[in-house]
Amino acid sequence: VGDVLSHHQGAAAAASAPAIPAPASAAPTAAPAASAPAPTASAAKGAGGMPVAPVQYRTPKGYEHLEDRVPLRGMRRAISNQMQASHLYTVRTLTVDEVNLTKLVEFRARVKDDAAAAGVKLSYLPFIFRAVAAALRKYPSLNTSFDEATQEIVQKRYYNIGMAVATDAGLTVPVIRDVNHKSLFELAREVTDIAGRAQAGKLQADELAGSTFSVTNIGSIGALFSFPIINVPDAAILGVHSIVKRPIVDEYDNIVVAHMMYLSLSFDHRLVDGAEAARFCREVIRLLENPDRLLLEAL
């Protein structure tokens, strides 16, 4: 997404979809340094390029005393502008898949004490970040942006992923930079640090800009799956959801209980073909379902 906070306080932060900081059972989006300017309502264009008239709300007669009006400003205005930019400047398409996290749940349980001894709170988010970075390297169209001004596709060879954090002031999206160069424990420390400072309102402007891909966590509040809003000018955003135990049929035709999670990938169809989006999801799934490969394969 574009620099959400640049309109409010000279900073950059992007809003993609409702998201919560990553809990221990699900995972959690990011903001690029430069984006298409967030349009105002008067600048919006409809079919045929005709201006779209602003919608004026009228209070029903007799209910005036039961309404309050609050100016749209600050963080909420920035988020509103970003949502409108995403709607106007992307061709948003959705693909949904599911992943069996049973092996990952077991692996995390085995190393959780080691992580704690090293002073690390190990959620599922670092695993997801590593899987996403590896998949982006294999399917680079999802790690691009479209420069509206020059009509050029920007292909990126770095992997900066954001984490949406819901705060009292609104949604902030700090960026985890160079994910492909960091270990699980390094990512876990950074996630904990950034989430804490986001909640306290202590993030720096440069920590809220420069994403190449977004990840948003809807699962911590119980959503089955979602249609995340793309963080312009990113090409795509991955929504991760609740990890739920449910019955599945294994490779031997036995009904077993597994830890399952839905993935929702929103992508800009101008930049990403549907087949590549589906293959990207399958690569993320392959790595998350096999934690040993996630740790051993180079990013």
Side-chain angles (χ1 to χ4, degrees):
V1 347
D3 301 339
V4 175
L5 296 184
S6 62
H7 304 283
H8 174 49
Q9 54 185 5
S16 63
I20 309 295
S25 62
T29 98
S35 70
T40 61
S42 60
K45 303 293 182 181
M50 297 298 293
V52 177
V55 176
Q56 183 175 2
Y57 172 79
R58 288 181 171 83
T59 301
K61 187 175 181 180
Y63 290 87
E64 294 84 357
H65 64 294
L66 296 177
E67 292 183 349
D68 298 311
R69 286 179 174 258
V70 179
L72 182 64
R73 59 164 65 110
M75 179 72 75
R76 183 51 52 190
R77 184 181 183 86
I79 292 172
S80 175
N81 287 342
Q82 284 306 123
M83 297 303 97
Q84 188 175 16
S86 182
H87 173 71
L88 293 175
Y89 293 122
T90 65
V91 180
R92 186 161 54 116
T93 313
L94 177 70
T95 184
V96 177
D97 214 323
E98 62 180 351
V99 53
N100 184 343
L101 294 182
T102 301
K103 291 181 180 178
L104 180 57
V105 170
E106 294 171 350
F107 176 82
R108 177 177 170 272
R110 290 199 305 271
V111 302
K112 194 174 180 180
D113 289 343
D114 293 334
V120 175
K121 182 179 180 181
L122 187 61
S123 70
Y124 292 103
L125 181 58
F127 296 96
I128 291 173
F129 274 14
R130 279 185 64 88
V132 165
L136 288 174
R137 187 170 183 176
K138 192 169 184 178
Y139 299 102
S141 70
L142 287 101
N143 203 50
T144 62
S145 294
F146 186 61
D147 190 328
E148 299 281 351
T150 63
Q151 294 291 291
E152 294 174 324
I153 298 174
V154 182
Q155 300 174 331
K156 304 164 189 177
R157 296 187 301 277
Y158 53 96
Y159 307 93
N160 296 346
I161 303 174
M163 173 182 64
V165 180
T167 71
D168 292 340
L171 185 70
T172 61
V173 192
V175 180
I176 309 294
R177 300 181 185 278
D178 301 316
V179 170
N180 54 313
H181 296 318
K182 295 173 180 175
S183 69
L184 281 172
F185 280 12
E186 287 174 327
L187 289 172
R189 288 191 183 95
E190 194 165 348
V191 164
T192 300
D193 171 63
I194 285 182
R197 288 189 292 113
Q199 292 286 354
K202 296 181 178 179
L203 291 174
Q204 301 299 311
D206 61 354
E207 295 177 291
L208 298 167
S211 71
T212 65
F213 186 89
S214 306
V215 177
T216 182
N217 172 32
I218 312 298
S220 60
I221 56 176
L224 183 63
F225 66 86
S226 62
F227 194 165
I229 297 175
I230 297 169
N231 288 332
V232 293
D234 291 355
I237 175 174
L238 181 68
V240 296
H241 304 86
S242 299
I243 300 175
V244 179
K245 289 198 294 185
R246 53 187 173 87
I248 66 168
V249 179
D250 67 12
E251 63 270 30
Y252 306 107
D253 292 334
N254 297 315
I255 297 177
V256 298
V257 175
H259 291 81
M260 304 297 295
M261 182 177 72
Y262 286 110
L263 301 175
S264 298
L265 179 71
S266 296
F267 59 97
D268 188 341
H269 219 321
R270 300 175 304 170
L271 301 174
V272 182
D273 292 331
E276 187 157 19
R279 294 186 186 107
F280 169 85
C281 281
R282 295 311 303 175
E283 179 66 7
V284 171
I285 290 168
R286 181 184 74 87
L287 293 170
L288 291 178
E289 289 186 343
N290 299 277
D292 53 340
R293 296 178 185 174
L294 182 61
L295 296 175
L296 294 175
E297 294 184 14
L299 296 187

